[in-house]
Amino acid sequence: MDNVYIKISEWFDAFMGGTWHWFNTLSREEWVVVLGVAAACGFLCMRGFGSRSNF
């Protein structure tokens, strides 16, 4: 069972390292796109997915 945890940890470390490397290679224009997508997702989450009258 410990081997499973080690494999998951290695996979997570590799994934985060690759993600961090990808973010480090973005240009200024690509960062604007990332910011826009993050802001749009945040707006949708703050707005909610249902009507308040249903609560």
Side-chain angles (χ1 to χ4, degrees):
M1 194 65 169
D2 289 337
N3 193 21
V4 172
Y5 293 124
I6 292 171
K7 291 292 185 185
I8 291 172
S9 175
E10 289 173 352
W11 177 83
F12 183 74
D13 289 340
F15 175 76
M16 291 305 293
T19 303
W20 191 255
H21 174 70
W22 180 76
F23 274 113
N24 282 336
T25 60
L26 292 178
S27 68
R28 184 182 306 246
E29 291 81 15
E30 291 167 333
W31 271 112
V32 171
V33 172
V34 170
L35 177 65
V37 169
C41 289
F43 175 77
L44 290 175
C45 288
M46 299 246 337
R47 184 162 187 248
F49 295 107
S51 173
R52 294 206 180 263
S53 63
N54 293 336
F55 290 117

